[in-house]
Amino acid sequence: MAHAHWRGVSLPDPADGILSSLETAADTAGLITPLVGDIAAARALVASALAAGAPISTARPAYVDVGGILYRATGEQTDGVLRLSPVSEVESAFDSFRGGRYQRQSGTQSALVTSKLPARPYDRTIIAFGMADATVQGTAGLRLLVVDNSQPVTARWEDNSTYETQTTFTIARVPAGVDPKIILAVSFGGASGKVSTVQFSEAADVNKLAVLAFPVSMG
């Protein structure tokens, strides 16, 4: 009966047949199939292997080199099409909001929308972009907050603006296992006790939060 090498390869025991053991070892070795012409050819290759009984799964994915980019296949499908995912894929999340009226004192802030980007078991660098269109009476800004809110980035509207679009962005490192908690917020400024009012546009296409996340080296 075969046993598993620490790298995951199934190796034969003394009583196992050599030829069948070689095929099992190749199936479990995590080898990279080199230089497949395009994604269609890669899908055809994986489909053919699955049809022949290859044990391709999330536990034992197939890896294919397509034009120098490494793709991973687990046999899963989307709308009947085999899914191929680039290794170390850049993750993205897009969110928006509509309208809302906020009246607050200086030194406070209110969340507008929170990114759906989840925690991952590895470190990442994230780039977040926010934009919002608003009428402002007083002093207010569009703010991006990440993880613990210790380093907010704020772009300010001109005082008494009428439906002006403001944008802001930030770059931050998010540790493994930590919820990014990327929030687009409105912040209120001015002298102590000053009250400002912000009315946001009802159009979702001008009120957006976009986030990209890139895996980075650890240790």
Side-chain angles (χ1 to χ4, degrees):
M1 184 175 182
H3 64 279
H5 187 272
W6 70 270
R7 288 182 178 271
V9 182
S10 182
L11 298 177
D13 285 333
D16 295 333
I18 295 298
L19 294 180
S20 61
S21 296
L22 287 174
E23 185 167 353
T24 300
D27 278 339
T28 58
L31 301 173
I32 297 171
T33 304
L35 299 176
V36 173
D38 55 25
I39 290 294
R43 284 199 176 101
L45 180 72
V46 174
S48 177
L50 286 167
I56 298 172
S57 65
T58 53
R60 296 197 182 282
Y63 294 95
V64 183
D65 181 338
V66 181
I69 304 300
L70 190 60
Y71 283 83
R72 179 177 181 266
T74 61
E76 296 173 290
Q77 298 186 4
T78 301
D79 297 328
V81 178
L82 278 170
R83 184 186 311 151
L84 271 71
S85 303
V87 175
S88 300
E89 182 174 10
V90 176
E91 192 171 9
S92 60
F94 302 93
D95 298 277
S96 62
F97 68 97
R98 294 178 181 271
R101 183 177 184 272
Y102 298 82
Q103 189 173 60
R104 302 283 190 275
Q105 287 191 347
S106 61
T108 64
Q109 61 189 17
S110 294
L112 300 170
V113 63
T114 301
S115 174
K116 295 187 289 288
L117 192 76
R120 295 296 185 198
Y122 45 82
D123 289 1
R124 292 172 292 175
T125 291
I126 65 97
I127 304 176
F129 306 86
M131 63 181 290
D133 190 66
T135 291
V136 177
Q137 296 176 341
T139 304
L142 186 65
R143 175 169 289 178
L144 274 170
L145 306 164
V146 180
V147 184
D148 59 1
N149 304 342
S150 63
Q151 295 181 308
V153 177
T154 307
R156 298 203 178 278
W157 278 282
E158 295 290 337
D159 286 1
N160 303 316
S161 302
T162 301
Y163 281 118
E164 291 186 358
T165 301
Q166 189 56 274
T167 60
T168 185
F169 77 95
T170 190
I171 301 174
R173 187 175 180 121
V174 177
V178 173
D179 182 353
K181 286 188 288 191
I182 302 163
I183 300 170
L184 186 64
V186 56
S187 63
F188 296 85
S192 177
K194 178 179 180 177
V195 176
S196 299
T197 303
V198 180
Q199 175 66 56
F200 288 97
S201 168
E202 293 291 337
D205 63 329
V206 292
N207 298 321
K208 290 185 175 295
L209 172 60
V211 182
L212 300 174
F214 304 80
V216 294
S217 298
M218 300 177 64

